[in-house]
Amino acid sequence: MVNLVFTIKKIIMKKLHLLLVIILTINFVNPALAIKLAEIRGKVTDAKTNAPLIGATIYISDLKVSTISNSDGEFLIRNIPSKGKFLVEVRYLGYKTTSKLVDLSNSQSLMFALEFSVIESAEVVITGTPFSSNNKTNSLAVVSVNREKLAQAAGTNLIDAISKVPGISQVTTGGAISKPSIRGLGYNRVLTIIDGAREEGQQWGDEHGIQVDQFSAARVEILKGPASLLYGSDALGGVINIIDDFVPAAGDFNGNFTTNYATNNGLSASSLMLQGNDNGFVYRGRVSYKNAYGFGYADKTVPNAGFNEINTSGMIGLNRTWGYTHLNLSRFNTNVGLVEEGPDADGNFLGEDGNLIGKSETRTRKIALPYQNINHYRAALNSNILLGGGQLKSTFAFQKNIRKEFVESKDAPGLHLDLNSYTYDVKYSFANRGAWEPTVGVQGMYQNNANIGDEYLIPDYNSNNVGIFGYLKRNFNKGAVNFGLRYDYKNVNGKDLIEGGKQVFSAFKNSFSNVSGAVGLAYELAKNLVFRANAGSGFRAPNIAELGANGRHEGTFRYEIGNSSLKQESSLQFDLGLEYTAEKVTFGLNAYSNRIYNYIYPGNFNNETTPFTDEGGLTTILPVYRFVQTDAELVGGEASVDFHFIKALHFENTFSYVKGINKGNNSALPFIPATSLNNELRFEPAIKVLHGSFIKIGLTNVFKQDRFDSFETQTNGYTLIDAGIGTSLKVKNGKVNVWITGQNLGDKLYYNHLSRYKSVGIYNQGRNVSFGISVPL
C-alpha cells in the first residue's frame, strides 16, 4: 500500500509539473504580493497535567492551512504571512476546542493548554461572517457537523445526513433526491455553498437535489435564518456551506479510502481521496461512486427508485506568504429513476401490463424509463490575498448543469435543459485592529438557460444580478456586535417560443431591486452562557419556474403555470438565542419570527386540471398548479439539551417546531415540516488500543402534522428506533474508523410530511442497516 501511494504521488507530481511552473511564474511576476516568509511554532498540552497532546489538529481557516502536533505536542506551520492577525483553532478528541487570535508579526511560540471536556464543540465557524470567527462572538445561529457525524448518520445523500439537526428537514423523492429546508423554507430560499461558490442547478424543481459528492464534506456549516446581507438573493431562509478538507502540512502526502453498504436498497458507496503539499504547492484528487436499487418498506420494494452516481474532483493551488489561491474542478454525474405510479389498493406494484412486478425485477440496479440524467460541472477559483494589512478574498466560478429527462426512449431526452452560471464574490476585510472588523464586498451572477429537448417546462432565459454590501463587526471583552447594509439588483429575460402554431412561452423582461440590512449581538452573560440576538431583512427574486413555467413537471405528478407578474419576496426576521456550555451539561434555545411579504407558493385552485399528451401519444389528466403570492409568517424555535453526568455516557435531546401562516386567509403554508423530538443515548467506553468507541440508541419522534395547505393532506405522527456502534484504531498515518448504523429498526410504516411520494401512497424507507469503514492512506 505504501509503495502504491508513493507511485501515485510520483505520477501526480510529474503530470502537474508544467502547471506548477506556470503558477510559480505568475507568483514571481507579482512582486507586490511577495511578503516576507514566516512560520509559526507552538505546543499543545493538557491544561491540568501539562502533558503533551499528540495528534492535536491546528487550523488557520482564513489561510486554509492545518497541521498536527507531534509526539512532543509541538507543531510547525510554514509558508504563512509574516504579519496580520488570524484566528488559530486547536481540536483534540476529549478536550474542549479552543481558538486564539494570533498576531503573526509576533514570532514567539504559541502555547495551547486544552481543558478536558466530554462536550464536543465547534469553536470556529466561517459561515455568516466574512472571516473566521469564534462562535462565541458570532451572533448568527450556525451549527457545524463534522465528517464522523455525517458518516455515522448513514444518509443516502448529504442532506439526508444532516436532516436531524434541529431546524433542518428535507423534501425527499426517494433515496436519491433530498432538498434542504431550514425553518420551513426551502427550494430557492436556501443557498448551498460548494467550493466557496453558490450552487446553481435548477434548484427550483421538486426532484432537483443538490449536486455534490457527499464524501467531499469535511464538515457542513448550517446558518439558520436570513443571510441576504452576505449572500444575496436566495439566502432568505439560510445557508448550507459544504467545506472540504484543509490542505495538509507542508511535506505531507496522504489520502483516505471510505466505503459503506446499506441493506435496505443495496446502496454501495465508495470514495478514494489523495492530497499533498509540496512546499506550498497543494493538490487533491477524489473519485466517488454510488449505486442502489429501489428502497423498500415491509416486504415491498419500490420499482425504478434506484440511482447511480459517479463524482470526480480535483484541486491544485498555492499556499504562500501572500495568502493562497486554489482552483477546484469537479464533475457530478447521476442517473435517477422516476416513479410515476404508486401501489394498488393492496399495496402491490404493478407493471404496464397490469401484472405484479416481481421482487427480482424491483431490485435490479438497471435504471428503467422514466429517469433523469444530470451532469453538473463546476470550476471555482478561490483566493485570499493579503493586501494593505487586510484580506482580499475572492471566488470566481463557472457551473454547467445539464439536466435530461428520458420518458419514452433512452435515445433522446424529452426535457433537456442546459444551464450556464458565472458567479463572482469579492470582498475586502480591512486590517484587523482587534476591535473593529470592517468588510466591503461585491457579488454577482450571470446565467443563461437553453431548452434542447422537445418537451418544455421553463423558457429559455438569461439573467444578471449584482449586489454590494458593507459589514462591520465590533469586538469587545465579552462579545461582539455587527451590522451591515446591502443593495441588490437582478433582471430576468424570458424568451418567446411558438411551436406548431401554439404559443408555448411569451417573452418577458423583469427587474428587481432591494436594500437589506441586519444587526446582531453576541454577549457572554456569564461564564459559558452566551446570548445572541439578530434582526435582519432578506430578499428573493422569483425563480424562472415561478415566472415562466408552462408544462408537465416530470416526477411531480402535475402541470405548472408560472406568473411573470410576480413581485419579489422580502422578509423581516427576529431571532433570539441562548447557549450554555459547561463540563457536563449543555443546552441551547432559539426562538424566531420571520415575516415574509409577497411569499410565492404553488397551488391547485378550484381543482383545475388539463389534458397532457406525452411523446408516445398517451393523454393523461394532470392537476394544474399556478404560482401565487401572499404575505406569510413563520414562527418557531429549536431547543437542545445534552447531559454528560458520567464521563462515558451522553444523553442528547433536540426539539424543533415551526408554524407557517398564510396571512391572506390565516391558513397553513405548504411544505412545513412536522414538529419533532429526537433523543439519543450514547455510551463511549474506554477500550485499550481503540479510540472513540461508541454504542448509541436513539428515538426519532415526529408529531402529527394537522396544519396543511389545500393540496396537501394530514400526516400522522410516528416514532422510529435507531442504533449504532463504532470505533477507531490509531495507525501511523491516522485512524481507521469502523461503524454500523441501524435506522428504523422497528420497520415502521410511515409517511414523512415532506415526502413527495406520500401523494401516491409510497411509504418512506423501512428498516436499514449500514456498514462503513474509513482507512487512511
Side-chain angles (χ1 to χ4, degrees):
M1 180 63 71
V2 173
N3 292 333
L4 175 62
V5 170
F6 280 102
T7 300
I8 295 173
K9 177 182 178 182
K10 185 177 180 180
I11 294 172
I12 292 174
M13 293 303 297
K14 184 177 180 180
K15 296 295 184 182
L16 294 179
H17 178 73
L18 178 61
L19 185 57
L20 172 61
V21 172
I22 295 172
I23 295 177
L24 288 176
T25 301
I26 295 172
N27 180 26
F28 288 137
V29 298
N30 283 278
L33 300 179
I35 298 175
K36 183 181 176 182
L37 178 67
E39 62 183 32
I40 59 172
R41 298 176 181 270
K43 187 172 184 179
V44 184
T45 62
D46 182 301
K48 190 173 183 179
T49 66
N50 205 35
L53 295 181
I54 305 168
T57 308
I58 298 92
Y59 301 91
I60 304 180
S61 296
D62 284 329
L63 297 177
K64 286 198 174 180
V65 297
S66 66
T67 191
I68 295 175
S69 60
N70 62 20
S71 58
D72 296 318
E74 298 172 345
F75 65 87
L76 170 65
I77 302 179
R78 295 191 179 96
N79 287 326
I80 61 173
S82 60
K83 59 178 68 174
K85 294 182 179 180
F86 297 90
L87 204 60
V88 179
E89 180 185 24
V90 181
R91 299 180 193 169
Y92 192 75
L93 185 64
Y95 287 78
K96 186 178 180 181
T97 300
T98 188
S99 64
K100 182 186 298 184
L101 187 65
V102 175
D103 187 349
L104 297 184
S105 61
N106 185 346
S107 59
Q108 67 181 19
S109 181
L110 301 177
M111 298 297 296
F112 290 93
L114 303 191
E115 298 177 358
F116 173 80
S117 175
V118 294
I119 303 294
E120 297 180 4
S121 62
E123 187 78 8
V124 173
V125 296
I126 64 174
T127 308
T129 175
F131 30 75
S132 297
S133 171
N134 184 313
N135 210 12
K136 290 184 178 180
T137 65
N138 189 9
S139 65
L140 296 169
V142 179
V143 178
S144 180
V145 184
N146 63 30
R147 172 170 277 135
E148 284 76 14
K149 291 291 187 182
L150 293 172
Q152 293 168 17
T156 57
N157 56 68
L158 192 59
I159 300 304
D160 187 27
I162 64 173
S163 61
K164 286 189 179 181
V165 173
I168 311 303
S169 50
Q170 56 177 332
V171 178
T172 62
T173 306
I177 302 171
S178 295
K179 299 181 68 65
S181 176
I182 300 178
R183 293 178 170 177
L185 296 176
Y187 296 78
N188 282 81
R189 298 182 182 96
V190 171
L191 196 63
T192 303
I193 305 291
I194 303 170
D195 293 335
R198 58 183 292 160
E199 181 180 69
E200 291 296 325
Q202 312 282 16
Q203 58 266 35
W204 44 265
D206 285 303
E207 78 284 13
H208 302 171
I210 66 170
Q211 286 86 197
V212 64
D213 180 357
Q214 73 180 92
F215 290 104
S216 68
R219 75 179 191 273
V220 178
E221 290 186 354
I222 305 158
L223 190 161
K224 295 183 283 188
S228 295
L229 175 63
L230 291 178
Y231 298 98
S233 179
D234 293 4
L236 197 71
V239 174
I240 295 176
N241 191 3
I242 300 166
I243 303 168
D244 209 334
D245 292 280
F246 288 154
V247 299
D252 272 4
F253 180 83
N254 57 50
N256 177 271
F257 176 72
T258 301
T259 186
N260 59 57
Y261 176 80
T263 59
N264 184 278
N265 59 352
L267 173 63
S268 59
S270 300
S271 182
L272 173 67
M273 183 275 289
L274 295 171
Q275 63 178 355
N277 183 340
D278 191 352
N279 197 31
F281 174 65
V282 298
Y283 50 93
R284 178 186 301 118
R286 181 185 293 276
V287 59
S288 303
Y289 176 75
K290 295 165 67 175
N291 184 289
Y293 51 78
F295 68 96
Y297 52 84
D299 59 345
K300 312 296 181 184
T301 299
V302 181
N304 204 38
F307 63 94
N308 57 65
E309 183 181 308
I310 299 176
N311 302 305
T312 55
S313 62
M315 181 276 290
I316 55 172
L318 287 173
N319 279 48
R320 286 290 187 255
T321 57
W322 42 261
Y324 70 81
T325 181
H326 294 170
L327 175 64
N328 293 274
L329 302 171
S330 65
R331 180 201 181 205
F332 174 94
N333 173 263
T334 187
N335 295 286
V336 182
L338 298 175
V339 180
E340 288 194 307
E341 294 184 8
D344 63 10
D346 297 322
N348 297 315
F349 290 92
L350 307 179
E352 293 182 356
D353 56 4
N355 294 323
L356 182 69
I357 302 176
K359 196 168 187 177
S360 61
E361 187 178 352
T362 61
R363 292 197 170 187
T364 179
R365 294 178 184 269
K366 184 178 180 180
I367 306 297
L369 294 171
Y371 72 95
Q372 63 174 330
N373 168 259
I374 302 165
N375 275 285
H376 190 90
Y377 301 89
R378 180 183 294 106
L381 181 64
N382 295 278
S383 301
N384 185 4
I385 308 300
L386 307 182
L387 290 174
Q391 302 179 46
L392 178 64
K393 290 186 176 182
S394 63
T395 298
F396 298 93
F398 168 73
Q399 297 172 71
K400 186 177 187 67
N401 185 271
I402 304 172
R403 185 175 299 272
K404 302 176 183 178
E405 293 185 352
F406 297 85
V407 180
E408 301 298 328
S409 168
K410 292 187 176 183
D411 297 325
L415 186 70
H416 184 176
L417 300 174
D418 188 348
L419 174 66
N420 295 291
S421 303
Y422 307 81
T423 61
Y424 58 90
D425 179 356
V426 180
K427 46 183 167 287
Y428 183 75
S429 298
F430 293 87
N432 187 326
R433 304 300 181 188
W436 293 98
E437 296 178 348
T439 298
V440 294
V442 57
Q443 298 166 335
M445 176 174 65
Y446 174 77
Q447 287 185 313
N448 63 73
N449 181 81
N451 282 282
I452 300 176
D454 52 15
E455 186 175 321
Y456 308 101
L457 176 58
I458 60 172
D460 291 356
Y461 75 93
N462 60 66
S463 69
N464 190 25
N465 64 275
V466 62
I468 57 174
F469 70 88
Y471 174 93
L472 185 61
K473 184 176 181 180
R474 174 64 164 87
N475 294 298
F476 49 90
N477 187 39
K478 290 193 173 184
V481 62
N482 62 80
F483 49 90
L485 286 172
R486 181 186 180 102
Y487 173 77
D488 283 280
Y489 174 82
K490 179 175 183 176
N491 63 57
V492 184
N493 300 318
K495 299 181 181 180
D496 186 83
L497 176 63
I498 299 176
E499 188 172 84
K502 181 181 178 182
Q503 186 82 39
V504 181
F505 299 111
S506 298
F508 61 87
K509 292 185 177 181
N510 289 18
S511 62
F512 310 92
S513 62
N514 186 74
V515 175
S516 55
V519 59
L521 169 70
Y523 184 73
E524 190 173 16
L525 297 174
K527 185 180 179 181
N528 300 323
L529 182 62
V530 177
F531 169 76
R532 295 185 175 91
N534 288 280
S537 59
F539 152 75
R540 184 181 78 89
N543 65 48
I544 188 61
E546 294 164 341
L547 290 170
N550 185 22
R552 178 183 66 165
H553 198 162
E554 183 66 42
T556 65
F557 318 106
R558 68 195 192 202
Y559 193 99
E560 295 182 356
I561 298 178
N563 180 358
S564 60
S565 298
L566 292 174
K567 301 176 182 179
Q568 68 197 41
E569 293 181 344
S570 59
S571 72
L572 181 61
Q573 175 165 312
F574 298 93
D575 185 300
L576 297 175
L578 197 62
E579 183 180 292
Y580 177 72
T581 305
E583 182 180 349
K584 295 183 178 180
V585 63
T586 66
F587 78 80
L589 183 65
N590 284 90
Y592 59 88
S593 174
N594 192 2
R595 183 70 179 263
I596 302 178
Y597 303 93
N598 299 316
Y599 177 88
I600 303 169
Y601 68 103
N604 175 238
F605 305 102
N606 302 316
N607 295 315
E608 182 182 5
T609 60
T610 186
F612 179 83
T613 304
D614 62 23
E615 300 167 19
L618 179 65
T619 299
T620 55
I621 303 299
L622 296 175
V624 174
Y625 282 73
R626 297 179 181 271
F627 291 95
V628 296
Q629 292 188 287
T630 185
D631 289 345
E633 186 174 22
L634 294 101
V635 294
E638 300 106 29
S640 63
V641 182
D642 301 344
F643 300 102
H644 306 268
F645 293 126
I646 301 175
K647 177 182 176 181
L649 195 63
H650 303 243
F651 184 41
E652 303 174 356
N653 309 269
T654 63
F655 174 80
S656 299
Y657 167 80
V658 58
K659 180 180 181 180
I661 306 167
N662 182 329
K663 302 299 287 186
N665 55 19
N666 206 37
S667 63
L669 292 179
F671 311 120
I672 300 299
T675 301
S676 65
L677 172 66
N678 297 325
N679 316 102
E680 182 178 285
L681 189 64
R682 185 182 179 98
F683 178 58
E684 298 180 349
I687 304 175
K688 288 184 177 181
V689 183
L690 301 179
H691 301 267
S693 302
F694 70 89
I695 302 172
K696 65 176 183 178
I697 184 167
L699 295 178
T700 299
N701 306 281
V702 179
F703 295 77
K704 178 173 68 176
Q705 180 56 290
D706 54 7
R707 284 182 52 83
F708 47 90
D709 195 28
S710 57
F711 65 88
E712 298 177 310
T713 58
Q714 177 175 294
T715 306
N716 294 328
Y718 53 89
T719 297
L720 306 179
I721 303 174
D722 302 331
I725 184 172
T727 191
S728 298
L729 174 66
K730 281 194 175 182
V731 293
K732 184 177 179 180
N733 55 343
K735 58 183 179 179
V736 177
N737 295 323
V738 181
W739 65 91
I740 302 173
T741 301
Q743 301 163 303
N744 189 11
L745 293 177
D747 207 20
K748 177 77 173 180
L749 286 175
Y750 74 99
Y751 295 116
N752 184 287
H753 187 66
L754 298 186
S755 169
R756 293 181 48 253
Y757 283 160
K758 171 178 178 276
S759 62
V760 292
I762 298 177
Y763 289 101
N764 281 77
Q765 181 174 271
R767 182 187 296 113
N768 181 53
V769 180
S770 177
F771 306 84
I773 183 171
S774 176
V775 181
L777 303 176

